[in-house]
Amino acid sequence: MRDIAKEAEQAILNLKDQNHGKIYLKTNQIRKFLTAVNAITNKVNVYKAKHLDATELPDELAGEIQFLKVKVAYQAGRERSVKDFMKQSNMKQHIEAVGTSIAKYEAFAHYIEALVAYHKFYGGKD
């Protein structure tokens, strides 16, 4: 079984090591992404409430999740610290791995929450 918390912690530690002990990624940069993920999570929860036996997401929601790659790519193009974060966290691969699986999306959302928490814990900039 995958340890999401350990994986997130290692990504932040790798980011810190890459930058000689500093994390240049600002909290607001990572929180913008968390906000986008939380908005999708709310939609997933509504879908799950209406479709109690569902294990797969409808195409519309799966598409919104895949569009997160575009949002993070745009931010990465604007700011090197975001690009470094994307690379260390394997963000693109994590998003692509979700596919249409509700369980995989939920694990992804927890991974993002863990990244934010470890970013703060290890001294990410405000």
Side-chain angles (χ1 to χ4, degrees):
M1 184 170 176
R2 203 171 127 210
D3 186 344
I4 292 169
K6 187 174 189 86
E7 192 174 334
E9 181 179 25
Q10 192 59 55
I12 296 301
L13 287 172
N14 289 346
L15 187 64
K16 191 173 182 175
D17 288 346
Q18 174 184 328
N19 294 308
H20 310 290
K22 293 187 179 184
I23 300 175
Y24 293 106
L25 180 70
K26 294 181 183 173
T27 301
N28 70 333
Q29 293 167 317
I30 196 171
R31 284 208 170 271
K32 284 180 190 177
F33 191 66
L34 177 63
T35 298
V37 170
N38 285 341
I40 293 172
T41 298
N42 291 337
K43 292 178 184 181
V44 169
N45 288 337
V46 168
Y47 180 78
K48 283 174 39 182
K50 291 180 181 178
H51 305 88
L52 298 176
D53 294 333
T55 59
E56 299 293 316
L57 295 164
D59 289 343
E60 181 182 323
L61 275 176
E64 283 188 53
I65 294 163
Q66 294 307 308
F67 193 73
L68 289 171
K69 290 184 291 191
V70 174
K71 289 183 178 190
V72 82
Y74 174 75
Q75 290 298 326
R78 294 183 63 205
E79 183 67 42
R80 175 152 180 99
S81 63
V82 177
K83 188 173 187 175
D84 293 343
F85 169 71
M86 274 186 59
K87 184 177 178 182
Q88 291 299 333
S89 65
N90 295 311
M91 189 61 63
K92 183 178 177 187
Q93 294 85 349
H94 280 281
I95 294 169
E96 289 173 350
V98 170
T100 60
S101 169
I102 290 173
K104 287 181 181 178
Y105 173 74
E106 290 171 337
F108 167 74
H110 290 305
Y111 179 63
I112 300 304
E113 290 175 26
L115 285 169
V116 171
Y118 283 114
H119 174 266
K120 187 68 170 174
F121 181 78
Y122 285 110
K125 297 173 80 175
D126 283 331

